[in-house]
Amino acid sequence: MNPDFTLYIVALVAFIVGFLIIKKVTSCLVKTIVLLVIAAVIALYYFTTT
């Protein structure tokens, strides 16, 4: 196999495993952070357009 292709596969597997671990451990925290970021963007848009 091409070494670049092997590196790509290893990086992809590491990303998927890391994503699943983070999702299991911090699902509630991530949802809260995403909600706060969305609320901040909406508030910024509201106050800058009016």
Side-chain angles (χ1 to χ4, degrees):
M1 254 207 256
N2 188 353
D4 293 334
F5 186 69
T6 305
L7 181 64
Y8 175 74
I9 290 175
V10 170
L12 186 62
V13 169
F15 176 76
I16 292 171
V17 170
F19 178 75
L20 291 175
I21 290 172
I22 290 172
K23 186 177 175 185
K24 292 279 185 186
V25 173
T26 62
S27 63
C28 184
L29 180 63
V30 170
K31 288 178 187 175
T32 303
I33 291 172
V34 168
L35 181 64
L36 289 174
V37 167
I38 291 172
V41 168
I42 291 172
L44 181 67
Y45 178 75
Y46 175 76
F47 287 117
T48 57
T49 57
T50 56

